[in-house]
């Protein structure tokens, strides 16, 4: 299919925005993709169970979920630039503070509350709102580039964290990761990150005018639609299973006999293949029905779970499982954001997509905790992997049942 002139014009005018947004979004998962290598050092230092360690991520994600819709409304009203710039500095500092823990569960919980509030300003809503306001004809690919920031994190953070822990200890590793990432990301955002709402009355030419930003369903229409609740189900079930597996991926591999650095290297494949998944999904979303692309993508974790269950000690199977998991972790937020924009429009995109980010956050909150609890109880991750197979099948069906998006978004979306 030929690339439209509108898509070319969008990239010619705003090519830098998705890449800047990708760097910003990478900070939103620093605590998710980095915590795996810290699990065993924390167990050794404090004698904690894996469920106790995972409770920190549960606290952070649960609090973030509560504020997803308010943050979305804030972005709709003030623009994403200020929210994102402040958010990057706050989450980087909050993550660094984890290295100051005293060893009590109360202190661990308190530090993760700080992480939760630090992460509010770097939610996916912030970055996708800016990109959606500039891209329409090539929105799928633009979202793919933006959300590849998480793929970058998944590829870099496990290896970086493992190296820093080995070289300097886990306390310094927390602070070093937060500081390094803030120093790399913030300057690019300051120069390049600006959505249509941030322009205000500027006369800078765009291919997606400010008037288009306001088109779409009302908040009450979106909240009453079946589409929203199907997307909520797919989002929550996906993040519960996939993020639970990703966070515990390094321990899953080390329990199968892999050395820590080798396990981290295999886990980095999740990030590498998630970049492929995001870009590939972006191309497909611009060319094929989003509900079909999404349903197929959401079935890939089933492949990973089956491989880990049947041949988990084989390095080749581990690598293929990491690749399959990465391909879908590289597409889930893209799919949800794309479908939300298609079904709801941009008028209240921040608030409605915020509700979906809330579901993703709740899944992130309880998935790693469930995986850790399963391991503590059964001394194996196998029951969690079996559950993942079932839940990912349900989430794929929920997406497929959406059907095609309405051609004109001005009324409550019909799904069904």
């Amino acid at each position: 299919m030929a690339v439209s002139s509108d898509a070319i014009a969008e990239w010619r005018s705003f090519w830098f925005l998705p890449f800047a947004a990708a760097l910003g979004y990478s900070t939103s998962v620093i605590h998710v993709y980095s915590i795996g290598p810290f699990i065993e050092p924390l167990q050794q230092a404090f004698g904690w169970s894996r469920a106790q360690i995972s409770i920190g991520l549960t606290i952070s994600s649960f609090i973030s979920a509560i504020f997803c819709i308010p943050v979305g409304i804030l972005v709709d009203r003030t623009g994403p630039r200020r929210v994102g710039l402040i958010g990057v500095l706050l989450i980087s500092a909050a993550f660094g503070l984890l290295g100051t823990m005293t060893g009590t569960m109360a202190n661990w919980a308190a530090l993760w509350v700080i992480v939760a509030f630090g992460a509010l300003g770097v939610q996916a809503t912030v970055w996708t709102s800016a990109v959606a306001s500039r891209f329409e004809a090539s929105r799928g690919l633009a979202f793919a580039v933006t959300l590849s920031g998480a793929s970058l994190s998944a590829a870099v953070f496990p290896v970086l964290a493992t190296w820093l822990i080995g070289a300097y200890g886990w306390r310094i590793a927390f602070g070093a990761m937060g500081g390094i990432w803030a120093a790399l990301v913030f300057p690019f955002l300051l120069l390049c990150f600006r959505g249509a709402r941030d322009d205000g009355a500027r006369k800078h030419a765009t291919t997606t005018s400010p008037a288009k930003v306001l088109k779409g369903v009302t908040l009450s229409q979106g909240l009453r639609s079946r589409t929203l609740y199907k997307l909520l189900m797919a989002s929550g079930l996906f993040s519960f299973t996939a993020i639970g597996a990703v966070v515990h991926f390094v321990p899953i591999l080390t329990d199968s006999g892999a050395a820590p650095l080798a396990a981290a290297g295999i886990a980095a494949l999740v990030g590498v293949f998630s970049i492929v998944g995001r870009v590939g999904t972006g191309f497909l979303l611009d060319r094929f029905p989003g509900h079909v692309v999404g349903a197929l993508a959401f079935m890939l974790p089933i492949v990973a779970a089956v491989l880990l269950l049947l041949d988990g000690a084989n390095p080749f199977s581990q690598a293929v499982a990491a690749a399959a998991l990465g391909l879908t972790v590289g597409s889930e937020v893209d799919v949800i954001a794309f479908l939300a924009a298609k079904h709801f429009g941009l008028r209240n995109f921040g608030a409605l997509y915020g509700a979906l980010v809330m579901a993703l956050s709740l899944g992130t909150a309880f998935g790693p905790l469930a995986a850790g609890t399963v391991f503590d109880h059964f001394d194996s991750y196998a029951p969690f992997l079996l559950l993942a197979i079932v839940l990912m099948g349900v989430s794929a069906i929920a997406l497929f049942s959406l059907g095609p998006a309405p051609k004109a978004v001005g009324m409550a979306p019909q799904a069904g």
Side-chain angles (χ1 to χ4, degrees):
M1 183 179 293
V3 179
S4 72
S5 59
D6 287 342
I8 294 173
E10 289 171 352
W11 282 101
R12 183 178 295 128
S13 297
F14 301 111
W15 64 268
F16 52 86
L17 177 60
F19 292 98
L23 287 174
Y25 185 55
S26 71
T27 62
S28 72
V29 290
I30 188 171
H31 54 302
V32 177
Y33 291 135
S34 297
I35 197 62
F38 287 94
I39 289 177
E40 289 191 10
L42 292 175
Q43 281 187 294
Q44 295 171 6
F46 303 119
W48 292 346
S49 69
R50 296 186 183 184
Q52 285 176 306
I53 296 170
S54 299
I55 196 70
L57 192 58
T58 300
I59 292 169
S60 171
S61 300
F62 185 76
I63 293 175
S64 294
I66 294 173
F67 289 94
C68 281
I69 294 178
V71 169
I73 293 173
L74 178 65
V75 170
D76 285 338
R77 293 182 178 178
T78 68
R81 177 177 169 82
R82 282 178 287 180
V83 179
L85 288 173
I86 295 171
V88 164
L89 296 178
L90 290 180
I91 185 57
S92 299
F95 185 77
L97 285 176
L98 291 176
T100 68
M101 74 184 77
T102 62
T104 67
M105 287 306 299
N107 177 250
W108 181 240
L111 289 172
W112 278 93
V113 169
I114 296 173
V115 170
F117 283 99
L120 293 179
V122 291
Q123 293 176 359
T125 309
V126 176
W127 317 107
T128 53
S129 292
V131 172
S133 72
R134 303 296 199 186
F135 290 82
E136 183 174 354
S138 188
R139 186 174 291 157
L141 180 58
F143 276 171
V145 172
T146 297
L147 297 168
S148 290
S151 306
L152 176 66
S153 299
V156 172
F157 289 162
V159 176
L160 180 59
T162 301
W163 179 79
L164 287 171
I165 292 167
Y168 303 104
W170 61 266
R171 289 189 183 276
I172 292 178
F174 275 121
M177 290 194 66
I180 290 170
W181 217 245
L184 289 174
V185 170
F186 188 80
F188 285 96
L189 294 179
L190 197 61
L191 292 173
C192 302
F193 182 67
R194 190 184 297 274
R197 282 188 174 91
D198 297 310
D199 275 345
R202 288 187 176 203
K203 295 182 180 180
H204 184 67
T206 73
T207 55
T208 304
S209 68
K212 285 188 176 181
V213 174
L214 298 178
K215 289 184 178 179
V217 302
T218 66
L219 184 58
S220 62
Q221 286 175 328
L223 293 174
R224 292 197 306 268
S225 71
R226 288 171 290 174
T227 297
L228 179 66
Y229 295 98
K230 290 180 179 181
L231 288 172
L232 285 170
M233 178 186 297
S235 301
L237 293 181
F238 175 89
S239 59
F240 179 89
T241 53
I243 301 303
V246 168
V247 168
H248 287 266
F249 202 73
V250 170
I252 288 172
L253 299 187
T254 56
D255 288 346
S256 297
L261 195 56
I266 294 174
L269 292 175
V270 174
V272 173
F273 278 89
S274 68
I275 295 174
V276 178
R278 288 190 193 281
V279 176
T281 300
F283 276 110
L284 293 174
L285 286 172
D286 286 334
R287 290 158 174 78
F288 300 100
H291 67 292
V292 176
V293 175
L296 293 174
F298 273 37
M299 294 180 68
L300 287 173
I302 296 175
V303 176
V306 169
L307 284 171
L308 292 172
L309 282 169
L310 299 181
D311 197 23
N314 187 326
F316 179 76
S317 296
Q318 293 172 351
V320 175
L325 192 58
L327 287 172
T328 193
V329 170
S331 64
E332 88 289 1
V333 183
D334 313 52
V335 167
I336 298 300
F338 183 88
L339 290 173
K342 281 290 186 181
H343 283 271
F344 303 130
L346 300 181
R347 180 181 178 186
N348 289 285
F349 177 80
L352 292 170
Y353 183 53
L356 300 174
V357 173
M358 177 180 67
L360 290 166
S361 297
L362 287 173
T364 302
F366 294 105
L369 176 63
T373 301
V374 165
F375 178 85
D376 292 337
H377 186 74
F378 295 100
D379 198 28
S380 171
Y381 286 105
F384 182 80
L385 294 174
L386 288 170
L387 178 64
I389 292 172
V390 175
L391 295 185
M392 289 313 303
V394 173
S395 67
I397 293 171
L399 284 185
F400 186 77
S401 69
L402 289 175
K407 292 183 179 180
V409 182
M411 59 188 68
Q414 299 298 314

